[in-house]
Amino acid sequence: MEIKILSPQWGHEHLDMATFLSKIKNAGYDGVDTWIPLDAKDKRMLFDYLQQHEMHIVTHQHRAEGSTFKDFKSSFIKELYECVEPGPLLINSHTGKDYFSLEQNLELVDAAAEFSAKMSIAVAHETHRGRLGYSPQITNEVFKLRPDFKITADLSHWVCVTESMLENFKDIVDEAINRSIHIHARVGFEEGPQVTDPAAPEWKYALDNFLAWWDSIVAANAKSGREILPITTEFGPEPYMPKAPYSDKPLANLFAINCFMKDLLIKRYHQYR
């Protein structure tokens, strides 16, 4: 198995596409985790750059919308088909809504499974607030009902939602580890989805918890025979990144934090590089 470390485009929207891609390539990333650009020029630039430099992509479905469930489902399927165009490692999906019924969210999971089988591309449903996988308890209901349901493990959301380091959800976390085919390597804490700086000593307890979960996901994927496990260093900008009061100044450098995580993960998982 190989681990590929990806950079999010999130937080770099102020950069033109060529500048952003050169920045992450020069920083040592293996590729990018991003949405399909709406601008045709940016889209062509992205696809061409990835091909030219032999970099990888995880495409991101988060734009599905609709005033009714029927409209949302139609938009969701349309977005999945757009995400497949550059030949991604997999599609990371913000699936459903936390206010949809379980049956409605399962209908979306089934639509994604049908799409996945047809297009021969994995869809990983992100554990994200406001979505189908917003909490361990709800996600566990899907685990029970859909044995092939796979996830992107962004456990920072579960830590925030449950106001815990998931001490009381061991069985569900163990199942989530076995269902994870992509990691969003952001460190959260009991009251928020993102610590200020994972290198700071006051956040060591949180970082250690997340590293233990990621170690288990890496081991499970290696054991399963997976060829590539993508990991995205997904620390984000405001409002995930707190800023100093009465200013627009972030409390830490976003790109430096993500590069710290990249370097830590490359060193930790060197045998898979």
Side-chain angles (χ1 to χ4, degrees):
M1 184 184 74
E2 289 185 84
I3 287 177
K4 300 298 182 184
I5 309 295
L6 309 181
S7 168
Q9 189 180 2
W10 182 39
H12 297 88
E13 294 90 339
H14 60 289
L15 299 177
D16 65 79
M17 184 64 72
T19 300
F20 164 68
L21 293 170
S22 294
K23 182 175 183 176
I24 66 169
K25 180 181 182 297
N26 292 335
Y29 278 100
D30 300 313
V32 62
D33 179 339
T34 191
W35 50 89
I36 300 296
L38 296 175
D39 180 83
K41 183 180 177 182
D42 282 345
K43 181 178 174 180
R44 189 74 268 146
M45 167 69 72
L46 173 63
F47 293 1
D48 288 348
Y49 194 99
L50 294 172
Q51 185 176 36
Q52 179 183 352
H53 295 279
E54 298 182 332
M55 296 177 74
H56 299 275
I57 185 171
V58 162
T59 48
H60 195 102
Q61 186 298 114
H62 70 281
R63 289 196 291 243
E65 60 183 1
S67 58
T68 67
F69 175 75
K70 181 180 178 181
D71 289 342
F72 186 95
K73 181 181 176 182
S74 177
S75 175
F76 175 72
I77 294 169
K78 176 178 176 289
E79 291 294 331
L80 289 178
Y81 275 98
E82 288 189 0
C83 285
V84 81
E85 187 176 353
L89 296 174
L90 54 81
I91 296 170
N92 178 76
S93 178
H94 279 206
T95 302
K97 296 286 188 179
D98 57 1
Y99 55 81
F100 287 168
S101 69
L102 178 59
E103 291 73 21
Q104 287 174 324
N105 278 321
L106 287 172
E107 195 173 323
L108 297 174
V109 170
D110 292 342
E114 183 178 344
F115 160 85
S116 184
K118 181 178 179 180
M119 302 304 296
S120 299
I121 182 73
V123 176
H125 304 272
E126 186 177 346
T127 57
H128 199 290
R129 288 169 301 152
R131 302 293 184 173
L132 160 65
Y134 74 92
S135 76
Q137 302 96 313
I138 293 298
T139 309
N140 194 44
E141 294 303 306
V142 184
F143 289 159
K144 292 175 183 176
L145 294 168
R146 296 295 184 271
D148 295 327
F149 178 72
K150 301 297 184 184
I151 66 171
T152 291
D154 191 339
L155 298 177
S156 68
H157 292 283
W158 284 5
V159 163
C160 178
V161 166
T162 65
E163 294 188 306
S164 74
M165 281 293 159
L166 306 178
E167 302 91 345
N168 298 314
F169 302 96
K170 185 180 183 307
D171 290 346
I172 300 176
V173 171
D174 287 346
E175 184 64 24
I177 285 167
N178 289 324
R179 303 286 191 118
S180 297
I181 57 173
H182 179 208
I183 297 171
H184 274 178
R186 185 176 62 249
V187 177
F189 66 109
E190 294 88 339
E191 301 301 334
Q194 180 169 303
V195 302
T196 311
D197 186 338
E202 61 267 29
W203 296 119
K204 183 179 185 301
Y205 82 95
L207 177 61
D208 287 347
N209 272 280
F210 278 81
L211 286 171
W213 292 325
W214 300 338
D215 286 351
S216 296
I217 292 170
V218 168
N221 277 270
K223 184 178 180 180
S224 75
R226 186 166 302 281
E227 293 183 9
I228 296 177
L229 173 65
I231 303 179
T232 303
T233 60
E234 215 217 9
F235 278 76
E238 182 189 353
Y240 278 64
M241 171 70 73
K243 61 184 181 181
Y246 307 102
S247 78
D248 287 323
K249 184 178 179 180
L251 293 185
N253 182 293
L254 177 63
F255 193 66
I257 285 174
N258 278 324
C259 284
F260 164 81
M261 291 302 304
K262 168 183 61 69
D263 295 341
L264 185 156
L265 295 170
I266 287 173
K267 182 178 179 180
R268 192 174 187 90
Y269 303 128
H270 63 90
Q271 68 269 41
Y272 299 108
R273 300 290 294 167

